[in-house]
Every structure is written in C-alpha cells, then in structure tokens.
Amino acid sequence: MGNDVETKLLQIDPKNFSEEALKLGIHLLKIGEVVAFPTETVYGLGASAYSFKGIQKIFQVKGRPMDNPLIVHISSMEMLKDIISISEIPPNVESLCKAFWPGPLTILFPKAKKILSEVTAHLPTMAVRMPNNPITLKLIELTGVPIAAPSANISGSPSPTTAKHVFHDFNGKIPLIIDGGPCPVGVESTVIDLNRDPPLILRPGGLNFEQLRQYLPTLQIYDKMIPNKELQARPCIPGLKYRHYSPSARVILIEFRSHGMENLIIEKLDEMFLQKSRCGYIHTQVDFTLPQQYRNQLGENFIDLTRSDSEIFKEKVHLHAHIAQHLFSALRKLDDQEVEYILICGISEDFEGLAVMNRLNKAASEIL
Ligand code: TXA
Ligand code: MG
C-alpha cells in the first residue's frame, strides 16, 4: 500500500469546540471512510459499524487479522437500545453502564443484527463501549451510527496515546486524524463478559478490578484462572493470540518482586553497556534511584515514569495510573530513538498495575 491519501491532522479542543469542527469527520464516516479520534484510553480508528467498505478499510490499513473483532462505540444508551432489544440489557448490566459509562469499560452483548458480522468477526457476541471524550461522543452522536473502532495503531505495535503516534503509523493511509490531545488513561478499556458465571475480565484495562469488584463481587480475571499454556491455546478473546504492544526494540522485563530487582537492573545495564548495545530504561520503581552514572550514560534513553514535572507518585494508586498513562508513549519514544533493547521493571498487579503488566508481559521478548 503506497502513500495514496493526504492525511489531515485536525486539532480540536475537547473543552471548547463547535459542531462545525466535526463536519469533515462526520462526512467521512458517512461515506464509509475511516477517521482516527481521541478517547480517554487510546486513540481509535473508526468506521461506521454499518459500512462494509469502512470496516474492511480498518482491517486493511491496520494489517489486522479478520478474525479479531472490533469494539462498537456508542454515544448514548439510546443508541445501544436502538440496535439491541431492551430484554438483552439486564438490570445489573444497565446499572454497570450507568456507573461507568462513558468510561474505559467494554461489555459483551449478544450481537445486534444491524451490526455487520465482519465487525464481530462472526462471533455471536459484540463488544460495546461508550468512550469518555466529548469530541468523540459528539462525533458519534452527529454521525448517528455506532462506530466500530480498534486502537489506531498498526497491528502488533504499542497503542497510540497522542495524535502524533497515529500520524506516525497512518500518515498517507487515512484521510483524517482528530487531535484532541493526549489520552488521560493511556491503556485500553477493560473488556468484561457478564454472560458467564462468574463474570470475567477478558482484558484488564483502564477501569481497574478493584473498582469493578464493588459492583461485581464474584468477578474473576480470565488470565488468572487458567495456566499460561492453556491460555495460549484457548484465548477467551480473539485478540489474545496475536503479538501485541511490541515496539521494534526487544523489551526485557524484570518481573516484580520484593528483593533483588535493583541488582538485576544494574547487572543488565552493565552487560549492555559493555556490549555497546543501544538501550533504553523505563523507571517504574519509587523505592530506588538509578545511580547518576547510569542515568548519564543512558541520557535521553532514561525515562522516569515515577514522577511528573511537579510530583513524585508515592501512593501506589497514583503511581500505577501514571505509569499506565505514559507506558505506550515511553515505548514509542524509545523506538523513535532507535534503541535495540528496552529494560523495564514490573509493578505489582493492583489498580492499573494489572493492565500495565498484561501489556508488558505481551510486549516482552525476555522476562527475568
Ligand atoms: O479502549 C479501547 O478499548 C480502545 C479504544 C479505541 O476504544 N479500543 C481497543 O480496541 O483497544 P482493540 O481492537 O485494539 O481491542 C479490542 C479487543 C481485542 O482484543 C478483541 O479481540 C476484543 O477486544 N474483542 C472485541 N470484540 C470481542 C468479542 N465479541 N468477544 C471477545 N473479545 C472481543
Ligand atoms: Mg489494539
């Protein structure tokens, strides 16, 4: 596929925009084109869930296998009720939607007849979410159709959390990217299946287990229920069998543990410096500081995710949210800086730590 279209980057302020600004996006979606848009989790690459041409285009430009279904994005409960019968929304499901939508939660419903079967990869279920971004909610509402959208990245690479990331992957391949600024959550939505007993998290994500558990006391995490080997053979979610979130560099993950991580990092960095490999290090641990000489040697390939300009995230709930928000962007940055290796330490799997570790385990070429 060559560079055959001009990609327009349209900046819109999510806090202050006119419907006029969305005109081009609405038009493109209506004629079966694809449009990239911001959500609170990651950028999405959307097309009308009723347009065969648009859906085909998503799979084609992403290089996504056709058996990996897309999430259907809606702007209101009315839109959901318009496509499936009300009896298919049990009261407990509706109260969950009320609690967490718009937000980073994707729920499986019986597939609506109106939605193309290519969207759900011919599965009897359809994944639905209402994204929490005013631009995108308005875009869906004014287009007047549900929008099917995967993350707006080339299949297999880290998801995009800025419009620049989308431009990097799709310049010349899609007509429009709506730039609504960086995504505040940074990892994709949590996908849950409430038709099973116990209800299951199929993909951990931006809405954490602790929050969901308050509404679903028996909730379990699919990954944790069956051994790893079986998981490979029997993924509950089609996307799980594919390579994911990987930058071009080899990611070396040091598993979370209470002792010895520090020594392993130093050992590994010494080894790489000795071999003269170009390596990057993403710092995720508040409990220790990488000695200055190592930071100097790493230079711009040292990325600290434990702090922002103004604060150090000492509390785990804030630290993990911050790491989730910036993880994909850090992986992409190191890729742009052409490192061969990316070294990163795991974090404990609470709060957003569960989603972060799910992504890191998939991205890693080596786990120590
Ligand atoms: O936050 C998000 O969820 C982002 C934004 C753009 O909304 N979207 C996103 O889409 O992450 P994608 O396509 O990158 O990931 C969707 C995941 C895939 O692993 C897919 O296999 C799974 O959801 N999925 C979709 N429909 C499904 C279904 N009916 N049953 C099981 N898994 C499903
Ligand atoms: Mg994706």
Side-chain angles (χ1 to χ4, degrees):
M1 212 181 329
N3 283 9
D4 47 5
V5 268
E6 191 188 331
T7 302
K8 190 174 160 73
L9 250 175
L10 181 66
Q11 267 187 19
I12 298 184
D13 178 356
K15 291 201 193 80
N16 180 21
F17 64 93
S18 66
E19 293 184 359
E20 185 65 20
L22 300 176
K23 233 172 123 182
L24 177 62
I26 297 165
H27 167 72
L28 288 168
L29 289 169
K30 282 190 174 163
I31 61 165
E33 263 301 337
V34 296
V35 172
F37 51 74
T39 84
E40 77 283 30
T41 57
V42 301
Y43 273 73
L45 182 67
S48 161
Y50 301 154
S51 165
F52 182 68
K53 180 181 152 207
I55 300 307
Q56 254 192 329
K57 195 141 190 214
I58 289 179
F59 283 98
Q60 187 196 17
V61 294
K62 248 187 94 86
R64 182 174 175 112
M66 293 292 291
D67 65 352
N68 193 3
L70 310 176
I71 294 174
V72 175
H73 295 68
I74 54 165
S75 55
S76 64
M77 282 309 277
E78 285 63 45
M79 192 178 255
L80 179 65
K81 287 173 185 166
D82 181 50
I83 54 173
I84 67 178
S85 67
I86 307 232
S87 62
E88 288 170 326
I89 312 179
N92 64 327
V93 178
E94 191 157 14
S95 61
L96 212 62
C97 299
K98 281 217 176 89
F100 296 114
W101 278 357
L105 175 66
T106 295
I107 302 175
L108 293 198
F109 288 91
K111 182 191 163 293
K113 281 201 184 72
K114 281 182 166 178
I115 301 291
L116 288 170
S117 20
E118 285 73 17
V119 170
T120 62
H122 305 277
L123 290 175
T125 53
M126 121 187 125
V128 181
R129 99 174 185 98
M130 194 190 292
N132 191 10
N133 180 292
I135 302 169
T136 295
L137 285 174
K138 206 50 168 180
L139 180 74
I140 302 171
E141 182 198 322
L142 296 179
T143 307
V145 294
I147 301 293
S151 48
N153 54 289
I154 299 283
S155 253
S157 67
S159 293
T161 55
T162 66
K164 215 173 105 195
H165 297 157
V166 183
F167 192 77
H168 175 276
D169 284 16
F170 292 122
N171 180 23
K173 294 181 181 156
I174 63 173
L176 176 65
I177 300 169
I178 298 177
D179 180 355
C183 303
V185 175
V187 288
E188 303 87 341
S189 62
T190 304
V191 181
I192 58 170
D193 186 350
L194 300 169
N195 305 311
R196 308 196 197 206
D197 189 19
L200 286 182
I201 290 189
L202 303 183
R203 175 181 74 179
L207 183 64
N208 65 44
F209 179 73
E210 289 83 348
Q211 286 165 293
L212 273 167
R213 249 283 160 99
Q214 292 177 6
Y215 285 78
L216 299 164
T218 59
L219 183 70
Q220 299 286 326
I221 303 157
Y222 184 78
D223 285 29
K224 306 284 168 207
M225 288 175 71
I226 61 172
N228 244 334
K229 265 193 206 138
E230 260 182 74
L231 195 66
Q232 298 282 325
R234 274 199 299 137
C236 59
I237 186 167
L240 287 188
K241 60 177 180 284
Y242 296 107
R243 197 180 79 104
H244 257 91
Y245 316 117
S246 309
S248 308
R250 286 175 67 83
V251 175
I252 302 173
L253 170 65
I254 296 178
E255 262 185 346
F256 177 76
R257 51 182 80 109
S258 32
H259 296 290
M261 289 171 91
E262 211 169 323
N263 294 341
L264 260 175
I265 296 164
I266 302 285
E267 250 174 55
K268 212 60 202 169
L269 284 175
D270 282 340
E271 191 185 309
M272 290 197 249
F273 291 152
L274 197 70
Q275 289 169 359
K276 300 208 170 8
S277 310
R278 265 185 79 80
C279 69
Y281 169 68
I282 301 176
H283 188 58
T284 57
Q285 310 295 308
V286 269
D287 300 335
F288 88 89
T289 316
L290 190 70
Q292 193 60 43
Q293 72 194 84
Y294 289 88
R295 287 182 184 226
N296 292 345
Q297 207 156 348
L298 284 160
E300 60 175 1
N301 295 334
F302 172 80
I303 298 180
D304 190 350
L305 295 189
T306 64
R307 60 176 71 213
S308 67
D309 290 342
S310 56
E311 105 182 86
I312 301 176
F313 298 98
K314 288 236 182 295
E315 260 181 78
K316 220 193 245 182
V317 56
H318 299 134
L319 174 69
H320 287 190
H322 185 76
I323 293 173
Q325 188 185 359
H326 296 283
L327 176 70
F328 287 142
S329 161
L331 293 173
R332 279 179 175 262
K333 180 165 184 247
L334 290 174
D335 244 0
D336 287 348
Q337 289 166 192
E338 296 182 342
V339 302
E340 294 162 71
Y341 297 96
I342 297 173
L343 192 61
I344 183 167
C345 285
I347 57 177
S348 62
E349 292 189 314
D350 24 26
F351 311 111
E352 271 77 337
L354 184 69
V356 166
M357 291 314 294
N358 169 276
R359 309 309 187 262
L360 280 180
N361 276 304
K362 289 195 174 67
S365 302
E366 196 180 331
I367 300 178
L368 303 174

